[in-house]
Amino acid sequence: MKPTACRALASAAALVLSVCAAHADEKSVGKGMAWTIMEDLTVETGQRLAGSPEEAAAREWAVTRLKALGFQNVKNEPFTIRGYVRGHDSAWLTAPYPHKLAITALGYSGTTPEGGVSGDVVYFPTLDAIKAAPAASLTGKIAFIDHAMKANQDGSGYGPYGNVRRQGPGIAAAKGAIGVVIRSIGTDNHRNPHTGAISWPAGVSAIPAGAVSNPDADIIARVARSGKLMRLSLTLTGRTQENMPSGNVIADLPGRDPSLPMIIVACHLDSWDLGMGVIDDGAGCAIVTAAALKVQEGGKPLRTIRVLWAGAEELGGLGGQAYAKAHAKEPHALAMESDFGADRVWNVKFTRLAPQVAESIKTALNPLGIVPNAGAADGGADVDAIIKAQKLAVIDLAQDGTRYFDLHHTPDDTLDKVDPAQLQQNVDAWTAVLKIVATEGGALIAP
Ligand code: ZN
Ligand code: ZN
């Protein structure tokens, strides 16, 4: 309901008044620039699956908004990708009893006939267990791969456990499976499956591959332990499609000295299609953009700050690769990325950053409750290619990831999950860092 509608209805009943007051509190008023960008982007464009018309509309939206916010050189830079078009996703356990599973197809899954495929289930408790299975031992079967990812603050479980999704389907296909189902790469206990992309090895044909919710995976694990025969019927009608349109949006806040190598701050504009792409990664785009604008409020900084809203990150960092290719000749000094939700920043890491600059940053971040971490900063998928190509300095503002994999790539990635105060702490931290690096006239990259 719009505030004007609230006013019109206000005389109708006291109840309506209180509903409208509550609604007004939820509006972006007072929640800052980042909230406004995040809310408008996700509400006005919806999910933004890479290659889809919605992702293209979001690029148009981004160009319009970034120009309106005062950015210069705002560009939509198209490229083509191999995309995934979702179809109908459904699955049932048919033995030992009928049970409907909450399932999603994984990105680049193979396609079943409309009627699906059925087979006996072979249960593997870990990725290592299916790796150890004999060649051809899954012929005609449906593999189920379990894992034990738990929530933690730094999200470090996503690397190893995420391989169940990235690599598991390829391993199952190579051993003859007709389909593969995994426990979602997630830490919640809701009946929401988590999607995400598969990485098929060369020479292996894609088979239908889905992820079930954690509670459904618990049921499968328990039946497997009972030793009873398990059968599964799997229908995933989506398909992989070549030459789909994607693109990056870039926008600059030009610095006073164009001869100095620029600072690039990145996020990704595409999202998975089950939710609204708020924590992944509308929030990131909102954070980096609001912080860059905040720095400029104090006057033009010395160095140019470029914002990159990358396309097709979810399918393997394709936007970041396209950016590095298209902008190889432009000198960059430092890269940062926000792509881990909207919860508070709790530590900072550096790679190749001039030590005196790192010291200033540590001091500036301390009042925000952010501590230094001795680990290496790696940026992320949207800046990885340009970092490697130009050996850039990198700063990671690491967010609290305890809740992130409850929501990641699920239908629950919606606006109500963002805490405005924590979102603002992100903007404050990014602003403090960008102020220091954008006004530094000396070398940012450590000798
Ligand atoms: Zn992301
Ligand atoms: Zn993602």
Side-chain angles (χ1 to χ4, degrees), residues 268 272 280 313-314 339 404 408-409:
H268 64 87
W272 282 103
D280 188 12
E313 186 274 350
E314 295 291 7
D339 184 18
Y404 187 65
H408 180 251
H409 298 184

Side-chain angles (χ1 to χ4, degrees), residues 186-258:
T187 51
D188 62 298
N189 62 352
H190 292 256
R191 290 195 70 202
N192 282 333
H194 299 233
T195 191
I198 300 163
S199 179
W200 296 106
V204 171
S205 298
I207 58 172
V212 292
S213 75
N214 272 314
D216 287 291
D218 291 344
I219 291 164
I220 289 169
R222 288 197 181 97
V223 175
R225 278 199 294 276
S226 78
K228 288 189 178 133
L229 173 77
M230 220 178 334
R231 281 185 64 82
L232 202 147
S233 163
L234 183 62
T235 305
L236 304 170
T237 62
R239 65 183 195 283
T240 295
Q241 191 173 309
E242 302 292 336
N243 294 317
M244 296 184 80
S246 185
N248 294 324
V249 175
I250 62 166
D252 293 347
L253 293 174
R256 294 196 308 276
D257 186 348

Side-chain angles (χ1 to χ4, degrees), residues 158 267-268 270-272 279-282 313-314 337-341 381-382 404 408-409:
Y158 190 53
C267 61
H268 64 87
D270 68 307
S271 75
W272 282 103
I279 66 146
D280 188 12
D281 184 28
E313 186 274 350
E314 295 291 7
E337 178 176 312
S338 178
D339 184 18
F340 198 45
D382 305 310
Y404 187 65
H408 180 251
H409 298 184

